[in-house]
Amino acid sequence: MPETAPINPLGQPFIELTEVDSSNNYAMQQVKEGRAGHGSAFFAFNQFQGKGRRSKNWQSAPGENIILSVIIDTIAFAGSPPFLLSMAMACGVHQFLFSLTEKNFLIKWPNDIYFNDRKAAGILIENIYRGSTWQWAIVGIGINTNQEQFDPELANPVSLKQITSKRYQPEKAARTLCNFLETAYRQSLSNPEEIIHLYNLFLYKKNEIARFKKNGTTIECQVDSVDKFGQLKIIHPLLDHLQIDEVKWLIQH
């Protein structure tokens, strides 16, 4: 592990916020103002402008779910592809969910967690650069925990309560989640190949036929694996990989 790896574990300090526009926005501002550093975790009981990938909103009923943003000093990742950190965080969330529920979740490329073709959790990583130097990552994690009623416009959400019929304490569970994130973070520094292996071991639709939309065209291909740069390797007559921002999953419900 690089000597420059921060010592402070993820989740320390653990700060609870009653209400915030976005936990990621709040964490980002704290970093920029020098009020928070590596390991700081911000748990929100309610956020009213949650963010997802592709400028989508992350909707969450107040007090029902895990809404967490963790700050990571990325100095130890100098020279590593940024997607390696994304892989580590996805593995951490995946391992946490399995430990909590003993159910089989899968990692949907690039960074959602699925259960039976339905979305249980999402991860949004926002980065801070100084010039060309990657300085900070704000890791936002939303996990549908106790919520049972969702906006009909959301395609395929599912909560842990719907999966297990149990209620959870989101704040307590989020503290435990931080331990899993810390383990995965450390592993990504000491043994990145293992993180890549774990990510692909639980890859959603691995070795199955999946459909994507690219430039208005539907692509049907077999999912093979994801590399450390975030490319989805596929089996297709004309293409051998897909890039994160050039395609959209087409999932039947």
Side-chain angles (χ1 to χ4, degrees):
M1 185 182 299
E3 293 180 5
T4 49
I7 297 171
N8 212 38
L10 302 186
Q12 293 187 20
F14 187 95
I15 296 118
E16 298 175 23
L17 306 170
T18 303
E19 185 173 79
V20 69
D21 59 344
S22 153
S23 61
N24 259 30
N25 283 352
Y26 188 91
M28 182 84 71
Q29 195 62 34
Q30 294 294 300
V31 170
K32 289 180 176 178
E33 294 177 1
R35 297 174 180 271
H38 179 87
S40 297
F42 298 91
F43 173 86
F45 287 94
N46 183 36
Q47 67 174 5
F48 49 88
Q49 288 181 354
K51 296 188 290 184
R53 290 189 66 250
R54 301 178 185 268
S55 301
K56 292 181 180 178
N57 292 330
W58 178 270
Q59 300 180 20
S60 177
E64 291 291 284
N65 303 311
I66 293 174
I67 302 166
L68 184 73
S69 292
V70 180
I71 298 171
I72 294 179
D73 182 337
T74 53
I75 187 170
F77 279 88
S80 297
F83 193 75
L84 182 61
L85 177 60
S86 182
M87 282 181 148
M89 295 299 99
C91 288
V93 174
H94 176 272
Q95 296 299 307
F96 161 74
L97 290 174
F98 178 77
S99 75
L100 193 67
T101 66
E102 296 186 345
K103 299 292 185 180
N104 294 320
F105 291 85
L106 294 171
I107 300 171
K108 175 175 163 283
W109 174 75
N111 50 12
D112 288 335
I113 309 296
Y114 265 46
F115 179 81
N116 289 350
D117 295 326
R118 299 175 71 185
K119 184 174 178 175
I123 302 167
L124 175 68
I125 299 180
E126 297 183 289
N127 299 303
I128 299 175
Y129 287 85
R130 178 172 290 175
S132 60
T133 303
W134 185 25
Q135 281 205 314
W136 300 98
I138 312 298
V139 181
I141 299 168
I143 300 176
N144 297 325
T145 310
N146 295 319
Q147 187 169 339
E148 296 188 88
Q149 300 294 324
F150 294 92
D151 188 322
E153 292 185 5
L154 296 177
N156 58 339
V158 67
S159 70
L160 303 187
K161 187 173 189 299
Q162 290 175 321
I163 294 169
T164 67
S165 299
K166 298 177 184 176
R167 280 193 67 84
Y168 301 86
Q169 294 176 270
E171 177 268 341
K172 181 180 178 182
R175 290 179 183 270
T176 303
L177 168 60
C178 288
N179 297 332
F180 282 87
L181 297 178
E182 170 68 11
T183 299
Y185 163 75
R186 293 283 163 180
Q187 194 170 26
S188 68
L189 296 178
S190 63
N191 190 358
E193 292 303 319
E194 180 63 17
I195 285 293
I196 297 168
H197 169 73
L198 283 173
Y199 183 99
N200 282 289
L201 184 64
F202 298 107
L203 182 62
Y204 176 70
K205 294 293 185 184
K206 183 177 176 66
N207 298 325
E208 296 180 23
I209 300 299
R211 296 167 69 243
F212 300 87
K213 179 151 283 189
K214 178 182 178 181
N215 299 328
T217 301
T218 297
I219 297 171
E220 193 166 272
C221 58
Q222 182 175 319
V223 172
D224 180 55
S225 61
V226 179
D227 67 18
K228 64 182 179 181
F229 301 104
Q231 296 181 131
L232 180 68
K233 303 296 184 179
I234 60 171
I235 297 173
H236 183 273
L238 302 176
L239 300 167
D240 62 4
H241 73 274
L242 299 174
Q243 301 279 11
I244 290 172
D245 292 323
E246 69 179 11
V247 296
K248 178 182 179 182
W249 283 87
L250 295 176
I251 299 174
Q252 294 180 333
H253 305 295

